[in-house]
Amino acid sequence: MAARAEAPGGSAVVLNPDPLSRVVGLPPAPGSAVAKDDLAILLWLQGARTPEMAANTWLLLERNLGTFSRALGVDVVKTTPQINAALKTFLKPVDAVKDTLKDRYQRPRPFVAHPQIQPCLPLEQGYSFPSGHATWYRAASELLADLVPERRERLVAVGSHGGNSRVLCGVHYPSDVQAGQRLGVAAAAQVLASPQWKAFKADPAVIVEVEVIRKVPAAALPEQVR
């Protein structure tokens, strides 16, 4: 079933789930070499993470486009409200595909399958593969990078960190996040190819907001590492 969401103007963006499913692939089989590596990485990170590292993951807990403000150099919510509102809508069908795949594969969360895993983020319900945060953050970074390509490196860094933080805190396996990253990139590509996205980019109000972002000189951009 194709994933839909109402886009700005009332028309629906439709994603083709079949190629997205192929991009995501299958979760590692229990007991496989990849599954063993997944667990080994989580256990190593659990012993290596510092309180500061754990605290920083909470900055990415909410899937909020404001998280990309430092990468862009503006407050996304206050300064670019048209972009903020529209991207939330464009990301809805991406979430829908992710939810379908989670329900299909039903991979238990790491802390459910392995009691020795002690997460440093809230224990979430639902399945583990692919990671929803990794999907959302990477898709959002791709959409924003299409609007402001000169900020692409900074945006993708945030998009990647949004998923990687889930591994650091033990709420997802590395392979969950890798699958989510692949899904985010592929799903964003379908959105970018849609007539709805092209119409959105041509909206005069959106063009004005993009220019506001571009007026921030590179030298004035804040550091992304805290």
Side-chain angles (χ1 to χ4, degrees), residues 7 20 39 46 54 69 83 119 127 154 165-166 178 186 195 206 213:
L20 299 180
L39 178 58
Q46 184 168 287
S69 293
I83 292 173
Y127 299 111
R154 293 169 62 88
S165 67
R166 312 294 286 174
Q178 292 161 4
V206 174
I213 297 172

Side-chain angles (χ1 to χ4, degrees), residues 81-131:
Q82 299 283 341
I83 292 173
N84 181 55
L87 259 66
K88 290 179 182 178
T89 300
F90 279 115
L91 288 165
K92 286 180 180 178
V94 181
D95 258 343
V97 172
K98 174 265 301 177
D99 289 341
T100 298
L101 293 173
K102 276 181 178 283
D103 290 340
R104 178 186 301 173
Y105 297 125
Q106 298 187 12
R107 188 186 197 188
R109 296 265 182 177
F111 54 85
V112 173
H114 305 283
Q116 66 267 46
I117 297 297
Q118 300 172 3
C120 57
L121 284 170
L123 303 185
E124 296 188 18
Q125 302 297 316
Y127 299 111
S128 199
F129 182 95
S131 163

Side-chain angles (χ1 to χ4, degrees), residues 39-85:
L39 178 58
I41 291 169
L42 292 183
L43 290 173
W44 187 88
L45 288 172
Q46 184 168 287
R49 69 192 180 214
T50 65
E52 182 180 14
M53 291 165 65
N56 282 336
T57 66
W58 283 74
L59 300 175
L60 298 153
L61 179 59
E62 299 297 329
R63 299 188 304 172
N64 186 331
L65 287 166
T67 309
F68 291 93
S69 293
R70 292 177 68 84
L72 291 170
V74 301
D75 185 321
V76 173
V77 177
K78 295 180 180 178
T79 308
T80 57
Q82 299 283 341
I83 292 173
N84 181 55

